[in-house]
Amino acid sequence: MRLLIPNPGLDNRILSYEDLKRLEEEEAEDRPKWDNKAQYILTCVGFCIGISNVWRFPYLCQSNGGGAFMILYLILLVLEGMPLLLMEFAIGQRLRKGSVGVWRAINPYLTGIGIGSMLVSFLILLYYNTIIAWIMWYLFNSFQSPLPWSQCPLNDNGTGFVPECQRSSTMDYYFYRVTLNTSTSIAESGGIQWPIVVCLLTAWTVICICYIRGISTSGKAVYVTAILPYIVLAIFLIRGLTLKGSMAGLKHLFTPDVDKLTNPTTWLNAGAQVFYAFGLAWGGLISFSSYNPVHNNCMRDAVMLTAVTGFTSVYAATVTYTIIGFRATENYDNCMSNNILTLLNGFDLPEDSITISNYEAAFNHLNSSFPDIVLGLDIKHCDMQKLLSEGVEGTGLAFIVFTEAITKMPGSPAWSILFFMMLLCLGISSMFGTFEGVVVPLRDLNMFPKKWPQEAITGVTCFIAFIISLLFAQHSGIYWVTLFDNFAGSVPLLIIGVFELFAVVYIYGIDRFNEDMEFMIGYKPSIFWQISWRFTSPLVILAILVFYLVTLGQQELTYLVWDPNSDEFPSLASVPYPSWIHLIIFILAGIPALAVPAYTLYWLVLVNCRKKFF
């Protein structure tokens, strides 16, 4: 006997199979439609494959066991992500509605699931487009030679270089000081960085133009934004493999550290990355699938998108680490060359008497024979593994590590233009799905007048988002971007995902859902899908959620700041968040997660009041 919560009136809220057949035959449905299947697949691929594939996934691999993490991620991609992906595809295609409309049709008490997805998508939309604005800034400044981040600027009187740049690196200085003019605390706004405001305005204008008529315009744009990144990645892979040290980078990436699999954090990171990679619970995938023909094979789409997502993650990580290996090798060779030069000058030795191949033996001999002299020399510790690991987290990978490697390539401006054009396409194509997850629910909730055309809704939404995103154009903007990234897209998505599975299995009814699948694709899902929807996926998501909350509760909330007066400089200093940040975290993570029970309570009170007074 299966558990099924009573759900009166469901048949009246959803279209019957006969109604769906009639609408399809008469082409009487008022919803937009995809021009072709390729447009739909490319839009979904563009949504799932974003900027994080270039910087988040490679970092997670490197810091969580390399090849071992990659295998774990691919397994969870199938066990955790693919079942929920198919469920979102199928329920949107069957009910022909957006994220709010789908859950309201299943049961009005579940409308909060769609509202929670919309809130998460809106928060992600704000900071994600800020990163696109940074990409645009770098892209605009790539059309010059030499690249502006390849050398330190002169000081005010032109007698030397800026001390802050000399103490750090040209790439760090250009990102933190020239681009963002970063303050030393999230509490210190420092005013507005106007070049970033211009880039933000440009970024929102581009999104508005591409999405001005919904999928009828964004569907055309994905032919460029979804395909071009693969071409550019292929070019970078070919170039990267020809660079010295690329194999060292790949070895560092793929070497499995099996011991890491005993660490719960590794499983947490892998599971959370699956959720983030697919864009699950954002609402965009449900809307996209609702524009498909009723008999579209959504199961094949889910399997195909899972394969593409897994392949692209590994593909992008491979490209990234050929470049990181080259950068690390260049820095290692420079470090060794400086040490050799220091020893040659310190002991007045012949020029070729010490080389990289015999450096270790020569250094040990000199250090044992003349320890006092060696101690007085400025000998650096050259560690290849440390160089492979440093500075690869988050935005630092794209704006610092990659830019440094690009400056060392012949024809660096051309490579820089290619790289940031690729990131721009990845970002814009992901924004289409995120934007869809905001605009469609707003329209379903009647937040705009019904007579407003799509163009007006898109324009007003972009304008409001631009005004709010000025928060990230402050000198403290990077700290706000990090805060949003850490909390807006984590806990709420996991909670909403669990609610989605529960709603379909126990309120809509898994038997009804299986019948819907048979009606749409011609056969019922196999036992793998049944077990995944009922047990595997919800248990994996709940385990990740519990581990995340326990880990978060045991740690002090800190963030990294760029502070030239810090003892750790030029490294970023770790400082605790101010106490008021807990309120912001509640707004970012708590309100979207609580939207489901809050709306359920609201609807319960509303229904009881209607019964009492009417």
Side-chain angles (χ1 to χ4, degrees), residues 164 167 177 184 479 559-575:
E164 184 179 352
R167 292 173 57 206
R177 183 59 59 217
T184 57
Y479 308 135
Y559 66 111
L560 299 175
V561 300
W562 173 263
D563 185 1
N565 297 319
S566 166
D567 293 336
E568 289 89 354
F569 191 80
S571 298
L572 299 178
S574 179
V575 298

Side-chain angles (χ1 to χ4, degrees), residues 257-268:
D257 183 0
V258 182
D259 293 338
K260 285 280 188 179
L261 296 180
T262 61
N263 186 347
T265 305
T266 302
W267 290 75
L268 165 65

Side-chain angles (χ1 to χ4, degrees), residues 455-473:
E455 293 87 343
I457 294 173
T458 301
V460 169
T461 305
C462 285
F463 177 75
I464 293 172
F466 165 69
I467 296 300
I468 298 174
S469 62
L470 291 176
L471 168 71
F472 307 112

Side-chain angles (χ1 to χ4, degrees), residues 221-265:
V222 294
Y223 288 112
V224 175
T225 60
I227 295 174
L228 183 63
Y230 285 94
I231 298 173
V232 176
L233 280 173
I235 294 171
F236 265 99
L237 178 61
I238 295 169
R239 180 68 181 112
L241 290 173
T242 64
L243 296 172
K244 182 183 178 183
S246 60
M247 290 299 111
L250 294 180
K251 182 180 178 182
H252 186 72
L253 171 65
F254 286 107
T255 301
D257 183 0
V258 182
D259 293 338
K260 285 280 188 179
L261 296 180
T262 61
N263 186 347
T265 305

Side-chain angles (χ1 to χ4, degrees), residues 60-83:
L60 289 175
C61 280
Q62 181 270 325
S63 58
N64 289 280
F69 176 86
M70 198 172 289
I71 294 170
L72 176 62
Y73 166 77
L74 294 175
I75 292 172
L76 291 180
L77 203 66
V78 174
L79 296 181
E80 174 200 1
M82 190 167 67

Side-chain angles (χ1 to χ4, degrees), residues 124-134 200 203-204 207 431:
I124 292 173
L125 193 75
L126 294 174
Y127 84 81
Y128 205 86
N129 215 29
T130 302
I131 297 175
I132 292 177
W134 297 350
L200 267 175
W204 282 111
I207 297 300
M431 284 288 286

